[in-house]
Amino acid sequence: MDEYSPRRHDIAQLKFLCESLYDESMATLGDSHHGWVNDPTSAINLQLNDLIEHIAAFAVSYKIKHVDDSDLIGQIDNYLDDTFMLFSNYGINTQDLQRWQESATCLLRMFSEECASAQIQASHSLL
């Protein structure tokens, strides 16, 4: 992101990054639906932490550039915190997993609304 990129482009990048984090997190969890044993020092968890840090840095730049979009930034922060907390523990229980999934669902819904809004604005600017 640079200072000249349009807002819709910045949102698309954030959406892609957050969806990638969600996909990689789900792949880490696997197929089980009960308590998980987790190794926060494993290579995959370290990669998740790197992605979380990258998204956080991108979100800070977005926040500086788009100060009026505090709701989206707040939800991204919640999602990153929940993801970090989930994968930094040695055990993952159902409650923590559900909180993380709710946070992810809320964020992805916000992205869908933002993208729809940006498309409407872009189509009106073409008229």
Side-chain angles (χ1 to χ4, degrees), residues 54-91:
H54 177 70
I55 295 169
F58 195 92
V60 166
S61 297
Y62 182 87
K63 185 177 186 176
I64 292 168
K65 186 175 171 184
H66 304 284
V67 284
D68 59 330
D69 211 351
S70 60
D71 290 341
L72 180 61
I73 291 300
Q75 188 57 45
I76 289 171
D77 289 343
N78 289 339
Y79 173 64
L80 294 178
D81 289 345
D82 290 343
T83 304
F84 179 77
M85 293 305 294
L86 184 70
F87 291 99
S88 65
N89 292 320
Y90 284 97

Side-chain angles (χ1 to χ4, degrees), residues 28 37-50 84 86-91:
T28 300
V37 175
N38 186 40
D39 179 8
T41 62
S42 70
I44 190 134
N45 281 345
L46 295 176
Q47 288 175 336
L48 287 176
N49 286 339
D50 287 343
F84 179 77
L86 184 70
F87 291 99
S88 65
N89 292 320
Y90 284 97

